[in-house]
């Protein structure tokens, strides 16, 4: 109906002009309009004016965008065409209340009022550039309610929009903790989420390793953010009490967790046994702590026999206990393995792994016939020669006797 009314009004005006033109030679569109009639009118019907036949560019106001679809009379309310404004505000209500000046084209185009890309570009020239999540918001998210929309002198303080976020945050509870209302202390405008905080924890307790992914309240209980202890046990006492392998409480372990643990993970522990009086070498590296620390971790014995008494007592070749071997296991054994022993029989006593006696025996008892005394040995039990022969062969030897100890005295290397 509104469109029809405008058309009727325009026809009425044209008819009036036509009647008046018969009695006057003045231009009904104003004496200053120096344009030939046929530019807009046709001879068959003076009232038939083809829509937009007139090239509006020649008067300095191009008809483009949405302007192409409006009726002439929407802007030209009288036939005096020069009596019309060319500023946007002459036709369009300024919802910004002149706060942003009269250059509507700074943000809008004739194609659409919703030219958001250009709006953002202009906005970035202000004291509040649109970055991060702010770049994806509708203008109305901050410039609230069209009838009271404010664009100039709008507060750029975070709390002006985010006070509810501040009040409703529970991890940590900002209000109870007395956090500053300046969100920029911990959050960045360029971030896409509140979780992307930039708060730098005190250099006295940097949040690295396993501490880097924790919620604040995991350590700051009851939103207590200041003056909390930095000692491990203040947060990890329950971990300390619940460990059963090894039992920290029973063994009276130090509360300084860093002696064995690091901030990357609670397990595995990285206690450096090599810094103690008993470095772990050989087979000792891979055994469980409790195999040696059967009675706790303090003042644990470091001598072999304390752990290997059963090995000592159960060995039968040779029988250590019967032979009254010393308890210093390291004399014959190493930490690499209990067997074979590293007893150097050749170097210290008599060559049985080299020379003529190599592979001529099977057991220690072949020579050491007295299991209770390894200082005793027999030579004549193995050698296939008669005493009479040896007596004859050694008749020129002074102090010769048919006895194993005498053999060793003259033949300490087992040679002729």
């Amino acid at each position: 109906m509104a469109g029809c009314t405008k058309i009727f009004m325009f026809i009425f005006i044209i008819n009036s002009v036509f009647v008046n033109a018969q009695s006057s030679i003045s231009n009904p569109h104003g004496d200053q309009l120096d344009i030939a009639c046929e530019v807009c009118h046709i001879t068959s019907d003076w009232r038939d004016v083809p829509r937009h036949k007139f090239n509006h560019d020649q008067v300095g106001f191009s008809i483009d965008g949405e302007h192409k679809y409006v009726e002439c009379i929407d802007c030209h309310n009288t036939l005096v065409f020069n009596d019309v404004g060319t500023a946007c505000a002459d036709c369009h209500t300024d919802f910004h209340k002149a706060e942003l000046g009269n250059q509507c084209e700074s943000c809008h185009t004739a194609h659409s009022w919703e030219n958001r890309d250009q709006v953002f570009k202009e906005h970035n020239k202000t004291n509040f550039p649109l970055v991060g999540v702010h770049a994806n918001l509708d203008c109305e998210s901050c410039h609230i309610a069209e009838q009271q929309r404010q664009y100039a002198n709008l507060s750029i303080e975070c709390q002006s929009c985010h006070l509810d976020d501040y009040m409703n945050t529970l991890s940590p509870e900002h209000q109870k903790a007395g956090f500053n209302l300046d969100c920029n202390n911990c959050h960045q405008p360029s971030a896409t989420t509140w979780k992307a905080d930039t708060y730098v924890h005190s250099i006295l307790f940097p949040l690295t390793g396993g501490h880097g992914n924790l919620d604040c309240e995991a350590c700051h209980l009851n939103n207590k953010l200041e003056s909390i202890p930095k000692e491990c046990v203040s947060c990890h006492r329950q971990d300390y009490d619940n460990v059963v392998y090894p039992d920290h409480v029973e063994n009276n372990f130090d509360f300084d967790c860093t002696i064995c643990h690091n901030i990357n993970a609670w397990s595995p522990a990285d206690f450096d046994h090599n810094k103690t009086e008993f470095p772990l070498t050989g087979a000792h590296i891979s055994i469980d702590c409790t195999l040696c620390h059967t009675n706790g971790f303090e003042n644990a014995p470091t001598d072999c026999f304390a752990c290997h008494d059963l090995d000592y007592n159960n060995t039968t070749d040779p029988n250590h206990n019967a032979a009254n071997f010393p308890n210093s296991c390291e004399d014959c054994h190493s930490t690499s393995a209990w067997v074979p022993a590293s007893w150097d029989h050749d170097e210290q006593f008599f060559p049985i792994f080299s020379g003529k006696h190599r592979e001529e025996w099977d057991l220690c008892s072949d020579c050491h016939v007295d299991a209770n005394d390894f200082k005793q040995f027999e030579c004549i039990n193995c050698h296939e020669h008669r005493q009479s022969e040896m007596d004859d062969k050694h008749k020129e030897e002074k102090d010769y006797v048919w006895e194993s100890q005498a053999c060793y005295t003259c033949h300490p290397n087992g040679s002729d």
Side-chain angles (χ1 to χ4, degrees), residues 180-209:
N180 193 295
L181 287 173
D182 185 1
C183 306
N184 290 315
N185 288 335
C186 298
H187 306 277
Q188 285 185 338
S190 59
T192 57
T193 172
W194 283 114
K195 285 290 185 182
D197 62 88
T198 59
Y199 176 69
V200 178
H201 210 271
S202 170
I203 193 173
L204 298 176
F205 196 94
L207 297 182
T208 55

Side-chain angles (χ1 to χ4, degrees), residues 63-217:
I63 301 297
D64 57 1
E66 293 297 312
H67 290 151
K68 291 180 180 180
Y69 307 107
V70 300
E71 300 294 338
C72 302
I73 197 172
D74 288 337
C75 297
H76 297 283
N77 295 318
T78 70
L79 288 178
V80 181
F81 290 161
N82 284 331
D83 293 343
V84 64
T86 57
C88 302
D90 291 333
C91 291
H92 301 283
T93 302
D94 183 4
F95 289 107
H96 308 315
K97 304 173 185 177
E99 291 177 341
L100 303 180
N102 58 7
Q103 300 297 316
C104 303
E105 60 272 18
S106 296
C107 298
H108 305 283
T109 69
H111 295 278
S112 173
W113 285 113
E114 300 297 321
N115 184 27
R116 295 300 174 100
D117 291 339
Q118 185 62 31
V119 171
F120 287 145
K121 291 178 182 179
E122 293 299 319
H123 208 295
N124 289 338
K125 298 177 183 178
T126 69
N127 292 330
F128 194 88
L130 298 177
V131 295
V133 71
H134 291 144
N136 298 322
L137 297 177
D138 289 331
C139 304
E140 294 78 16
S141 297
C142 299
H143 301 281
I144 303 169
E146 182 176 306
Q147 65 271 19
Q148 50 184 316
R149 191 179 296 167
Q150 180 184 3
Y151 285 83
N153 301 317
L154 187 68
S155 174
I156 61 173
E157 301 295 331
C158 303
Q159 59 176 301
S160 63
C161 284
H162 295 291
L163 185 59
D164 285 345
D165 297 299
Y166 175 96
M167 300 295 290
N168 294 331
T169 299
L170 301 177
S171 176
E173 190 172 347
H174 288 26
Q175 183 183 16
K176 187 174 181 179
F179 279 9
N180 193 295
L181 287 173
D182 185 1
C183 306
N184 290 315
N185 288 335
C186 298
H187 306 277
Q188 285 185 338
S190 59
T192 57
T193 172
W194 283 114
K195 285 290 185 182
D197 62 88
T198 59
Y199 176 69
V200 178
H201 210 271
S202 170
I203 193 173
L204 298 176
F205 196 94
L207 297 182
T208 55
H211 294 146
N213 298 321
L214 296 177
D215 289 331
C216 303
E217 62 270 18

Side-chain angles (χ1 to χ4, degrees), residues 228-247:
I228 68 170
K230 298 185 293 294
E231 292 74 18
C232 306
V233 73
S234 64
C235 282
H236 295 287
R237 180 56 188 266
Q238 187 172 358
D239 297 299
Y240 177 98
D241 291 341
N242 291 342
V243 175
V244 294
Y245 176 69
D247 191 316

